[in-house]
Amino acid sequence: MSELLIAMNLAYNTTIKARARYELAQQGPRCGLPAPCEAVRLWHALASAWLLQSDKRFWVGIHSPAYPQGLLALKDPPLILFGDGRLDLLTTRSIAIVGSRSATRTGLGNAQGFGKAFAQARWVVVSGLAEGIDGAAHAGALQAQGGTIAVLGCGPDEVYPKHHAALKRQIIEQGGLVLSEYPPGTAPQAGFFPRRNRIIAGLADALLVVEAAMRSGSLITARVASELGRPVGAIPGSIHSSQSKGCHDMIKKGALLTETAQELMEEAQACLPEFKHACVLQEDDSDCHTEMTCTMDTGALQDEELGRVLQCLGHDPVHTDTLAQQLGLGSEDTLAVLTELELLGLVLGESGNRWVRANGVF
């Protein structure tokens, strides 16, 4: 029996309960399992074919020397992992970025900006390739030509959401890694994503929540990371935004209120396991752009009216009509100024004809 079939039999043999398989795994790679069932043999055939299609593809079982040590601290570590991309990223220092699928433009900007800053400092960015914050975090890391790991809630040959297929391909082509505990041919299912989150928490040396509602899977990921002893940060937002409530609750309970990438990197560096101190993509961190805020030079604006509108606008969304009343301008004139400021990259338009200052993370 091949090593892959043995590992897949341990991970996927449904004739044995999951807890029993974890207990058997502790006995060693050749524990007393029954013969592979038909489903395991089918998955093995699909996995073998998938692995042969690219020299970037690999698998690691829980007994492999290449298995990520951080995952062993989980109560239910994945018994096998399939990867497409750089295997060495599994042992490189990393920070996870998670958050809402229904992110605001400010949240997306923060996720992309922090992802870029972490990658510039040679930290691998870990996330889940999901809509919203996850996708923006991966994009930021790629923009900095850095490493990023996308942990999937489906087989490594699948993608969810479908329109992230190009992003997934770019991650692999630019030297990142796509990772899954599910065998090739496994379609995404709702129950897979919460389990995917524990892998994100286990892989990373710290975790940042960008935006999260009170009932969010990101908060579960943060709780797992905290239980593992990883530093956990959260970005505060508007008191009026439902997407900030989860982050605010985390901060109240002890999460690091995170304003710059440097803050969380310092926390993570202090907690790094010994073997990761030498495992960085590059040693020079001097080019890290860690400050995530910028000062708007309103004096440089040619039109005094642009400066007035920008000065009046804050980081909480404001309706056009409300802003017009505050400035003593007509709604149409105010909207025209806001549109011009948006073209300059100084403000962002939110849903419902509301506006905020750009946060300068791009």
Side-chain angles (χ1 to χ4, degrees):
M1 193 183 301
S2 72
E3 293 297 322
L4 175 58
L5 182 55
I6 292 172
M8 293 185 73
N9 192 31
L10 177 63
Y12 306 131
N13 194 322
T14 55
T15 65
I16 304 176
K17 291 183 178 180
R19 177 47 52 191
R21 281 185 272 126
Y22 284 116
E23 292 172 355
L24 285 168
Q26 295 174 4
Q27 299 177 16
R30 294 188 176 273
C31 50
L33 277 169
C37 61
E38 192 61 33
V40 169
R41 292 190 180 278
L42 175 59
W43 286 325
H44 173 258
L46 291 171
S48 298
W50 178 80
L51 289 164
L52 290 173
Q53 291 170 9
S54 170
D55 58 6
K56 292 182 178 181
R57 295 175 180 175
F58 62 87
W59 68 274
V60 290
I62 195 168
H63 300 114
S64 168
Y67 187 86
Q69 296 300 297
L71 297 182
L72 294 176
L74 293 171
K75 296 175 182 177
D76 54 346
L79 298 176
I80 192 170
L81 293 166
F82 290 94
D84 195 348
R86 284 179 57 183
L87 173 63
D88 65 299
L89 295 188
L90 294 178
T91 54
T92 305
R93 63 183 188 177
S94 61
I95 296 179
I97 300 177
V98 297
S100 173
R101 286 178 170 82
S102 303
T104 65
R105 290 186 65 176
T106 299
L108 294 174
N110 283 334
Q112 184 169 352
F114 273 83
K116 181 179 180 181
F118 293 145
Q120 285 174 326
R122 313 310 173 200
W123 289 78
V124 173
V125 175
V126 183
S127 199
L129 200 71
E131 190 74 52
I133 296 301
D134 288 20
H138 291 305
L142 293 172
Q143 186 180 0
Q145 303 297 311
T148 184
I149 300 175
V151 186
L152 308 184
C154 54
D157 56 336
E158 299 281 341
V159 62
Y160 184 85
K162 289 293 186 184
H163 63 264
H164 275 178
L167 178 59
K168 176 189 174 186
R169 185 167 57 251
Q170 186 181 2
I171 289 171
I172 297 168
E173 290 173 352
Q174 280 193 215
L177 172 62
V178 171
L179 196 68
S180 176
E181 67 177 314
Y182 302 106
T186 305
Q189 296 183 30
F192 291 168
F193 294 98
R195 291 188 58 76
R196 177 272 315 268
N197 292 346
R198 83 194 194 286
I199 299 178
I200 293 174
L203 282 176
D205 300 298
L207 182 137
L208 177 66
V209 180
V210 176
E211 282 186 336
M214 284 300 296
R215 297 177 62 85
S216 168
S218 300
L219 301 187
I220 298 173
T221 313
R223 189 191 71 230
V224 174
S226 181
E227 290 172 351
L228 294 173
R230 314 286 203 267
V232 174
I235 297 179
S238 169
I239 61 172
H240 305 294
S241 172
S242 61
Q243 298 289 29
S244 297
K245 299 296 184 184
C247 289
H248 292 172
D249 187 62
M250 288 175 57
I251 293 168
K252 291 175 186 176
K253 293 177 179 177
L256 175 69
L257 190 158
T258 306
E259 294 179 311
T260 69
Q262 187 65 36
E263 293 171 322
L264 191 56
M265 287 189 292
E266 289 175 356
E267 291 286 327
Q269 186 69 32
C271 300
L272 273 184
E274 189 62 34
F275 75 92
K276 282 198 173 183
H277 281 282
C279 296
V280 294
L281 297 182
Q282 290 186 25
E283 292 295 333
D284 182 11
D285 293 351
S286 60
D287 64 343
C288 172
H289 298 180
T290 56
E291 180 60 51
M292 303 308 297
T293 58
C294 67
T295 301
M296 302 298 184
D297 184 9
T298 56
L301 295 173
Q302 298 275 327
D303 194 318
E304 184 180 344
E305 203 165 67
L306 294 180
R308 282 185 61 217
V309 173
L310 184 60
Q311 192 171 26
C312 191
L313 197 64
H315 291 283
D316 285 344
V318 179
H319 195 277
T320 304
D321 293 341
T322 302
L323 195 60
Q325 290 177 353
Q326 293 173 351
L327 292 164
L329 299 173
S331 293
E332 290 187 4
D333 292 337
T334 303
L335 182 60
V337 174
L338 287 167
T339 302
E340 189 168 348
L341 288 170
E342 185 177 34
L343 292 173
L344 292 171
L346 299 177
V347 305
L348 298 172
E350 299 278 353
S351 61
N353 203 17
R354 299 180 302 165
W355 299 81
V356 296
R357 276 198 188 210
N359 55 15
V361 300
F362 290 108

